[in-house]
Amino acid sequence: MADEDVRQSLLSSTNDSLNLNETKAIQRRKSHHRSKDPSEKESQEQEKVLQPLINVEPTFVELEFRIKYVLLLLALYLGIGTLWFFLIKNQIYGKKTNGVIDAIYFCVVTMTSVGYGDLVPHSTLAKILSCIYAFTGVALVGLILSNAADYIAEKQGILLVKAMLKNEKFNTVEVLTDVETNRDKYKFLMTSLLLVVLIISGISFLILVEGMEFIDAFYCVCCTMTTLGYGDKSFSTQEGRMFAILWILMSTICLGQFFLYLAALYTERRQKSLVKWVLNRKLTPSDLEAADLDHDEVVSAAEFILYKLKEMGKICQDDVLLLMERFKALDVDHSGTLTTDDLILF
């Protein structure tokens, strides 16, 4: 019985709102056409053009703030680790080059869980510090460096669209709209491109600087990116470890983001296919019966929309009931509509 009341209230409120909105819209359009002058038209056209920019700007501001926060945390984390392991460098065994570079290199190899084994802690203190650094490092890599990848993908996505449309006429609004619509697609493309660049640069560096054969260099790159870190092939020169400090961070994160965006793209396409199927399939008498919430043998626009949203998986019956309960709580005067008086009394 309670569910029936909720359904009736929802349908009547929705239909009343639709009719009221249509009436107000017609009145606004009539008065608007009577009073509109050229300056107002121009102002409204500018607002339409700038609206996508206004909506997108906060996203990039937030991303820029996050990237600064990420870089600060990363610098602080690497700085503490470098100081730790530099002070106990005699308690770390393996092939060494430069004290500071080796300490930073050991930090990166540890926090990304690559663990080549070319530098290993030998004393009890060194092992304890390595364990602490490894646990906190893996967490930080997952939590903060992914933000950096998102920032790069967002920025480069716009450049990618501009490059794709370089022979066509376009404006900033079109570019931003396209990026927003195909966000996961462009993130995946940019991450794929960056991954290819990192693989090629890693192989080239290992061949030219570390003196490896092509197969060994490719093997080392794969072991590093996937954090296998067998240890039989690694960066052993001072120049190689300077390169590895940045390259290992970027390559391991990039590979993880590649699979993340691939999964997101696959999920998005499946969702779009489901929506397309729901919208295009023919309705059956059983569908009409299920959509007829008030059992009056006709399906209104509100009933049809609710039924299709449920079928798409956008909402469920529990969501509708929760929202209706919230509406009833805000509707203090029990008029079936919300006004400023209701908000004041609530």
Side-chain angles (χ1 to χ4, degrees):
M1 192 68 183
D3 290 350
E4 188 67 27
D5 292 339
V6 170
R7 291 174 181 173
Q8 292 288 352
S9 300
L10 177 62
L11 291 174
S12 61
S13 300
T14 305
N15 289 327
D16 292 342
S17 298
L18 288 173
N19 295 331
L20 183 60
N21 289 337
E22 289 176 0
T23 304
K24 290 182 177 179
I26 292 171
Q27 293 174 351
R28 283 197 302 269
R29 284 197 294 269
K30 288 181 179 178
S31 62
H32 185 64
H33 286 303
R34 287 195 298 267
S35 61
K36 187 185 293 184
D37 56 38
S39 61
E40 288 179 343
K41 288 182 179 179
E42 185 178 347
S43 176
Q44 288 184 353
E45 288 177 358
Q46 290 178 353
E47 287 181 2
K48 289 180 180 179
V49 172
L50 293 175
Q51 189 60 41
L53 293 174
I54 295 172
N55 293 336
V56 174
E57 185 179 357
T59 301
F60 285 105
V61 171
E62 182 183 355
L63 285 172
E64 289 177 2
F65 172 77
R66 280 162 49 184
I67 193 65
K68 291 177 181 178
Y69 179 69
V70 164
L71 293 176
L72 179 62
L73 281 179
L74 180 60
L76 180 63
Y77 182 72
L78 285 176
I80 293 173
T82 300
L83 180 61
W84 275 2
F85 297 117
F86 178 77
L87 294 176
I88 60 169
K89 59 183 179 180
N90 295 328
Q91 301 176 38
I92 297 176
Y93 288 3
K95 186 175 181 180
K96 300 181 180 180
T97 58
N98 176 276
V100 176
I101 293 174
D102 287 343
I104 302 174
Y105 171 76
F106 183 77
C107 289
V108 172
V109 169
T110 302
M111 70 182 290
T112 56
S113 71
V114 171
Y116 287 127
D118 49 355
L119 292 174
V120 294
H122 188 261
S123 67
T124 301
L125 177 61
K127 291 177 181 179
I128 293 174
L129 291 177
S130 297
C131 290
I132 295 173
Y133 204 78
F135 277 114
T136 56
V138 170
L140 283 175
V141 166
L143 291 175
I144 65 176
L145 292 184
S146 60
N147 290 327
D150 279 339
Y151 177 80
I152 295 172
E154 291 279 359
K155 285 288 189 182
Q156 296 302 317
I158 294 179
L159 297 179
L160 177 63
V161 176
K162 287 183 177 180
M164 292 170 64
L165 301 175
K166 64 181 179 180
N167 295 324
E168 302 177 11
K169 292 182 179 180
F170 67 94
N171 56 39
T172 306
V173 176
E174 292 174 347
V175 171
L176 292 174
T177 302
D178 190 59
V179 170
E180 184 67 23
T181 304
N182 301 285
R183 183 184 297 272
D184 289 333
K185 175 184 174 182
Y186 290 129
K187 280 185 176 183
F188 175 74
L189 290 175
M190 290 311 306
T191 306
S192 301
L193 180 61
L194 181 58
L195 188 62
V196 171
V197 171
L198 287 170
I199 291 174
I200 294 174
S201 62
I203 292 174
S204 302
F205 190 90
L206 288 169
I207 292 174
L208 297 175
V209 178
E210 296 289 337
M212 294 185 186
E213 298 292 331
F214 174 79
I215 296 299
D216 290 336
F218 180 72
Y219 167 78
C220 181
V221 165
C222 290
C223 289
T224 302
M225 284 187 163
T226 56
T227 68
L228 286 173
Y230 288 128
D232 50 340
K233 300 293 180 182
S234 63
F235 297 88
S236 57
T237 64
Q238 180 174 325
E239 294 79 7
R241 289 182 176 176
M242 290 175 64
F243 171 80
I245 289 169
L246 182 61
W247 183 83
I248 291 175
L249 278 173
M250 293 183 63
S251 61
T252 52
I253 295 300
C254 186
L255 184 63
Q257 293 298 112
F258 171 81
F259 288 114
L260 176 64
Y261 294 145
L262 179 62
L265 187 61
Y266 174 73
T267 303
E268 181 187 8
R269 289 188 175 181
R270 285 193 61 185
Q271 182 65 27
K272 287 182 178 179
S273 299
L274 175 62
V275 171
K276 185 178 179 181
W277 176 81
V278 169
L279 292 176
N280 294 331
R281 78 177 186 87
K282 293 183 178 180
L283 289 177
T284 63
S286 60
D287 291 323
L288 293 178
E289 183 179 355
D292 185 15
L293 297 179
D294 56 4
H295 306 294
D296 61 354
E297 297 184 356
V298 292
V299 176
S300 66
E303 289 175 320
F304 178 78
I305 292 171
L306 284 174
Y307 179 70
K308 284 299 181 181
L309 287 175
K310 290 179 186 177
E311 197 174 21
M312 292 174 188
K314 302 289 186 181
I315 61 172
C316 65
Q317 184 64 24
D318 292 337
D319 296 329
V320 176
L321 294 175
L322 286 173
L323 291 173
M324 198 59 212
E325 288 296 327
R326 180 60 178 170
F327 179 86
K328 290 170 67 177
L330 292 172
D331 185 17
V332 179
D333 59 3
H334 306 292
S335 62
T337 58
L338 293 180
T339 62
T340 53
D341 293 334
D342 290 319
L343 299 181
I344 293 173
L345 293 173
F346 182 72

